[in-house]
Amino acid sequence: MVKLILFIAFLFSIMANAQTRSNMLIRISEIEVYPEYLEEYLQFAKNVGATSVKEEEGVVCIYPMVQQRDSCQIRILEIYRDMDAYKSHIQTPHFQTYKQGTLHMVKKLDLVDMYPLNPYRMNEIFLKLKNE
């Protein structure tokens, strides 16, 4: 009986984790920055990403990248636990500082929401990076 109860508890924890992962908001922000603001923009992006992941429980990942063939093309991989975590994130002082401080630097912005192909493997991806 104890084994059955433990097994059921284990299944519920797996289902809870699966539900959390299936509710994730995954987004790629496609940003084009005016060349004269590139370095300043990159500093803002690094700061907001690092602060958000460190301070916000619902922010899984904010990973800014620069396109190799055109350094004014920025992509930011954003992963939030759920839509509530995203809504909370955009209200934070560090996000507002980033947003208001970079408005004049951004030539084009497109927010592309994505569906994960295998959200249940997400933990393995991040664990692998931690171990390297």
Side-chain angles (χ1 to χ4, degrees):
M1 184 66 161
V2 172
K3 286 183 181 181
L4 178 60
I5 292 170
L6 289 174
F7 180 70
I8 291 171
F10 174 71
L11 286 178
F12 276 117
S13 73
I14 288 174
M15 289 188 309
N17 285 335
Q19 181 64 33
T20 297
R21 282 186 235 126
S22 68
N23 289 335
M24 283 182 172
L25 170 61
I26 301 174
R27 170 175 290 161
I28 297 175
S29 296
E30 298 179 346
I31 302 162
E32 182 176 359
V33 177
Y34 291 107
E36 62 268 27
Y37 297 115
L38 180 60
E39 292 306 315
E40 187 179 1
Y41 177 85
L42 293 177
Q43 194 58 49
F44 270 99
K46 286 184 221 177
N47 288 342
V48 74
T51 302
S52 299
V53 171
K54 181 180 177 184
E55 294 182 5
E56 297 177 63
E57 183 179 324
V59 175
V60 176
C61 168
I62 295 184
Y63 192 72
M65 301 166 280
V66 177
Q67 195 179 89
Q68 288 186 9
R69 64 179 175 211
D70 181 353
S71 61
C72 290
Q73 296 292 325
I74 312 300
R75 302 296 181 263
I76 303 175
L77 172 62
E78 303 175 50
I79 305 174
Y80 303 93
R81 183 183 57 227
D82 53 29
M83 183 57 80
D84 288 339
Y86 171 72
K87 289 177 181 177
S88 176
H89 166 69
I90 62 175
Q91 300 300 316
T92 62
H94 51 270
F95 177 80
Q96 287 300 314
T97 297
Y98 158 79
K99 188 66 174 176
Q100 298 307 314
T102 61
L103 281 175
H104 66 285
M105 301 176 191
V106 175
K107 182 176 183 180
K108 183 179 174 187
L109 169 65
D110 189 17
L111 304 176
V112 182
D113 289 350
M114 309 294 288
Y115 293 112
L117 291 179
N118 193 349
Y120 311 106
R121 302 293 299 263
M122 184 91 51
N123 289 350
E124 293 174 23
I125 294 167
F126 287 106
L127 282 176
K128 185 173 184 177
L129 289 174
K130 185 176 181 179
N131 293 329
E132 290 182 356

